[in-house]
Amino acid sequence: MSAAEETTPQPRRKGLLYQPDRIRNMCILAHVDHGKTTLSDYLIASNGYVHPKLAGKQRYLDWREEEQTRGITMKSSSIALLHVPRDDKGQPLEDDLKYIVNLIDSPGHVDFCSEVSSAARLADGALLVVDAIEGVCVQTHAVVRQALSERVKLCLVINKIDRLIGELKFSPIEAYARLVTIVHDVNNVVSSFASEKYIESADLEGGDDDGAEFDVTREIDDDDLLFSPSRGNVCFACALEGWAFRLNDFAKLYSKKLRCNEASLLRALWGPYTYSSKAKKVTKIKADEGNKKPMFVQLVLDPIWQSYAILDESEGHAAAVVGLASKLGIEIEPKEIQRQEPAGMLRALLSRWLPLCDSVMGMVVEHLPDTVAGARELFR
């Protein structure tokens, strides 16, 4: 090669594969039967590999015959997905704004923990899926420990919200208390692991030959590891029905209706705050005001519970779904749902109002590191 050829700058390669800031490597971790593969199916369906009606039933990544027969994931499987962020009308937010998400679905059974370890080492981030009824289980502890030991950043998905409505018959306020408990329990698991690492570092620093002492006044820095819906790293989902949401979605929606700051509303949507429609202001719930509903119940859970109340009606389901869709600003033609069962009508409504792929993929792109940041974190 001549000297002129060596000094000639090479043309910049184009395409998503040559833009590491647009690539996410992530895995899905959970206890067995908490909905990992169903969630994967809906994300895959957004790319056209699975028909939306078969998502959750086909178990696309469980391609082995034994996995299909037993109904559990036994080996980690991966797939590359394309995500295009869209606005409320379904249009791309920006031209050429696309992401590649390399997804790994891992087993949840304790007998296949080695597959979980392999998936965590290959990924830069992970979705931690927790059942809304079962909560934090034994394998949840194990996968959190494995992920954090590999310096994998986590986002939380609380799945099967519909079970709180259909099986336990919870009211919205009872469901809110349950969801708060799950977020608290998962944060306790993360904090306990951070405390263990803190003690290990104290033992190592205190045992150096040079006599250096460990700084006992140093605090445990685990804020970046904790989950909070107000931060946007928690997603509430019903993977089987194809709907999910983050608080960001409702903050954007209600900030226009209530004419308030979106960031301020986002903070108030999770916590002891209530909205007074008469005074048109947000106030903090005092200790003696237990009868007041938190804003998360008022603005988020109540509309979802009202949607499921359609199933309790004896007739007129199609008209009720179309009427509710018009209130929510969703276009559903009566002929689209007239031959469906009431559950199918509700699924069509909720999946359009709160599309699962947009919420989950938005959280992945926003909170999980790209390939460069992931490598920097791994080798620091």
Side-chain angles (χ1 to χ4, degrees), residues 10-85:
Q10 296 296 320
R12 187 174 182 270
R13 291 179 175 178
K14 298 181 180 180
L16 289 178
L17 291 177
Y18 301 103
Q19 301 179 45
D21 60 318
R22 299 283 182 88
I23 301 176
R24 303 291 186 272
N25 297 324
M26 67 105 171
C27 59
I28 302 181
L29 307 173
H31 186 76
V32 63
D33 287 337
H34 278 202
K36 300 181 305 300
T37 305
T38 304
L39 177 62
S40 300
D41 265 13
Y42 266 94
L43 297 180
I44 294 169
S46 68
N47 275 227
Y49 294 110
V50 178
H51 193 281
K53 292 183 179 179
L54 296 178
K57 302 174 184 177
Q58 185 168 343
R59 303 177 64 89
Y60 185 83
L61 292 180
D62 288 349
W63 54 274
R64 297 171 179 81
E65 182 178 355
E66 189 174 5
E67 291 178 314
Q68 290 287 345
T69 303
R70 298 177 62 180
I72 62 172
T73 304
M74 302 172 64
K75 292 286 186 179
S76 294
S77 302
S78 62
I79 190 170
L81 303 176
L82 178 67
H83 172 59
V84 181

Side-chain angles (χ1 to χ4, degrees), residues 107-127:
H109 198 280
V110 65
D111 291 345
F112 311 110
C113 57
S114 60
E115 293 289 327
V116 178
S117 302
S118 300
R121 289 174 182 173
L122 290 171
D124 302 316
L127 295 179

Side-chain angles (χ1 to χ4, degrees), residues 183-361:
V183 174
H184 180 72
D185 290 346
V186 176
N187 281 334
N188 281 342
V189 175
V190 173
S191 294
S192 64
F193 177 83
S195 299
E196 290 180 16
K197 299 297 291 182
Y198 176 82
I199 294 173
E200 290 178 4
S201 64
D203 292 340
L204 291 175
E205 294 183 29
D208 289 343
D209 295 336
D210 57 4
E213 294 185 359
F214 181 74
D215 184 6
V216 296
T217 62
R218 191 177 71 189
E219 297 182 356
I220 303 176
D221 185 15
D222 60 355
D223 287 345
D224 292 338
L225 303 176
L226 300 182
F227 303 105
S228 173
S230 297
R231 293 183 179 179
N233 61 357
V234 178
C235 186
F236 305 92
C238 172
L240 190 61
E241 303 292 339
W243 60 266
F245 66 89
R246 292 190 296 158
L247 288 193
N248 309 55
D249 305 327
F250 283 92
K252 183 183 300 183
L253 172 65
Y254 286 112
S255 62
K256 300 176 183 178
K257 293 184 177 181
L258 303 180
R259 296 181 181 179
C260 60
N261 181 267
E262 183 179 334
S264 301
L265 182 59
L266 179 61
R267 292 191 296 269
L269 275 174
W270 186 260
Y273 298 95
T274 187
Y275 177 73
S276 174
S277 57
K278 293 182 179 180
K280 294 185 177 180
K281 65 178 182 179
V282 177
T283 58
K284 192 169 185 178
I285 301 176
K286 299 180 182 178
D288 57 346
E289 296 177 335
N291 59 330
K292 291 187 176 181
K293 291 183 179 180
M295 290 183 66
F296 185 79
V297 175
Q298 292 176 301
L299 305 181
V300 179
L301 295 185
D302 277 348
I304 296 176
W305 259 244
Q306 291 171 10
S307 302
Y308 274 88
I310 295 175
L311 300 178
D312 298 331
E313 299 180 7
S314 57
E315 58 183 9
H317 298 96
V321 168
V322 173
L324 184 56
S326 63
K327 293 181 180 178
L328 297 173
I330 304 169
E331 295 183 3
I332 294 183
E333 297 294 335
K335 61 182 180 181
E336 295 182 48
I337 58 175
Q338 60 184 359
R339 296 184 179 180
Q340 296 186 15
E341 294 293 327
M345 299 178 187
L346 182 62
R347 185 183 304 113
L349 170 66
L350 291 175
S351 61
R352 293 192 188 183
W353 179 36
L354 305 170
L356 181 143
C357 181
D358 291 351
S359 295
V360 174
M361 286 296 204

